[in-house]
């Protein structure tokens, strides 16, 4: 499913931007789903499923560089904008969720369907 055709649930308040690392990720549980809330070097906030599709470990514990988050276990990298793996050994993308930051710096996430 491409981002253009993706459907999303209702936005849920997750945190404030100030609660996130300047560059890095934090884990949130939204409706029973683990999500990595990622803040990139340009200050943008993204949300992806928090589980590496190769090794089933938390991506929010990995390093963020540019728009990539690296799995700490085997070094797979994922583009936080698309969910696509950009470095082996992972070959399956992670889900990308819709993020909104309001005027007060509060982060809301709408989960991708599925």
């Amino acid at each position: 499913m491409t981002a253009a055709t993706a459907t999303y649930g209702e936005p849920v308040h997750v945190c404030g931007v100030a609660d996130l690392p300047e560059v890095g990720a934090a884990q949130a549980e939204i409706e029973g789903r683990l999500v990595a809330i990622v803040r990139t070097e340009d200050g943008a906030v993204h949300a992806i499923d928090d589980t590496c599709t190769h090794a089933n470990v938390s991506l929010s514990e990995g390093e963020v560089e540019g728009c990539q988050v690296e799995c700490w276990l085997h070094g797979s990298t994922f583009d936080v904008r698309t969910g696509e793996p950009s470095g082996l050994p992972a070959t399956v993308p992670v889900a990308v969720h819709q993020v909104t930051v309001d005027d007060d710096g509060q982060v809301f996430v709408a989960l991708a369907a599925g």
Side-chain angles (χ1 to χ4, degrees), residues 4-81:
T5 61
T7 56
Y8 300 95
E10 291 297 313
V12 174
H13 179 260
V14 177
C15 63
V17 172
D19 299 322
L20 297 171
E22 280 193 41
V23 175
Q27 185 184 77
E29 184 174 342
I30 305 170
E31 299 173 8
R33 194 168 178 174
L34 294 178
V35 176
I37 310 301
V38 182
R39 191 170 176 191
T40 56
E41 294 163 352
D42 63 0
V45 179
H46 303 271
I48 60 173
D49 275 355
D50 190 39
T51 305
C52 177
T53 57
H54 169 257
N56 201 30
V57 297
S58 174
L59 292 173
S60 62
E61 295 177 22
E63 296 293 319
V64 174
E65 186 173 327
C67 290
Q68 306 291 319
V69 63
E70 181 180 34
C71 176
W72 59 268
L73 187 59
H74 294 120
S76 294
T77 55
F78 296 87
D79 188 313
V80 297
R81 301 165 298 183

